[in-house]
Amino acid sequence: MTTMSAERTALRSLSPVAGARQAARAFLEALGQPGIGREQADTVVLVVSELVTNALRHGGGAYTLRLTSHPHCIEVAVEDPSPRMPRMRTPDLVDGTGGFGWHMVNDLSLATVVTPGPEGGKTVRALLPR
């Protein structure tokens, strides 16, 4: 099992979300053989981007990203300090206020789990096929 953690972003020149995407790509490239296909890698990066964006937007502006490689899936875990749980919203097709992300994460994932933290906050996990 391969694990990588990145708190916020490692590169100051990038936005936190771009840094998280870059960290995810580096993690996936470092897996070696058997690696992960391009389409699956793009899905992992998309889910990382969405969960980190949600953590920044709705979770208080701080996050911890953890990526873990299991034999049949990649686990994306994003922790943030907000106890507010993600919820399904009706996507806003008129004013552009969102509502698409949590649906997308759930549709792309084998499973999603939200775990409240012991001292507040939460961890959102998505298991994605390899």
Side-chain angles (χ1 to χ4, degrees):
M1 179 167 48
T2 304
T3 302
M4 186 274 305
S5 294
E7 293 202 24
R8 295 192 180 112
T9 182
L11 300 175
R12 294 174 193 237
S13 62
L14 297 176
S15 75
V17 177
R21 285 193 300 262
Q22 187 175 35
R25 288 223 182 265
F27 170 80
L28 295 170
E29 289 171 7
L31 289 178
Q33 295 298 325
I36 183 169
R38 183 181 183 115
E39 186 175 324
Q40 290 85 359
D42 288 346
T43 299
V44 170
V45 171
L46 179 61
V47 169
V48 164
S49 183
E50 184 60 35
L51 293 181
V52 168
T53 297
N54 286 350
L56 292 168
R57 182 177 294 153
H58 306 294
Y63 72 92
T64 301
L65 168 65
R66 289 187 183 83
L67 299 166
T68 306
S69 175
H70 299 284
H72 300 290
C73 66
I74 300 294
E75 179 180 346
V76 176
V78 177
E79 181 181 334
D80 69 58
S82 172
R84 199 167 126 209
M85 298 292 147
R87 63 182 175 85
M88 292 289 185
R89 294 179 19 207
T90 301
D92 182 354
L93 299 172
V94 177
D95 296 321
T97 61
F100 297 92
W102 190 233
H103 288 280
M104 179 187 63
V105 168
N106 281 277
D107 287 346
L108 293 172
S109 301
L110 299 168
T112 56
V113 178
V114 183
T115 308
E119 298 176 19
K122 67 185 167 297
T123 301
V124 179
R125 286 182 179 79
L127 297 178
L128 300 156
R130 282 186 70 123

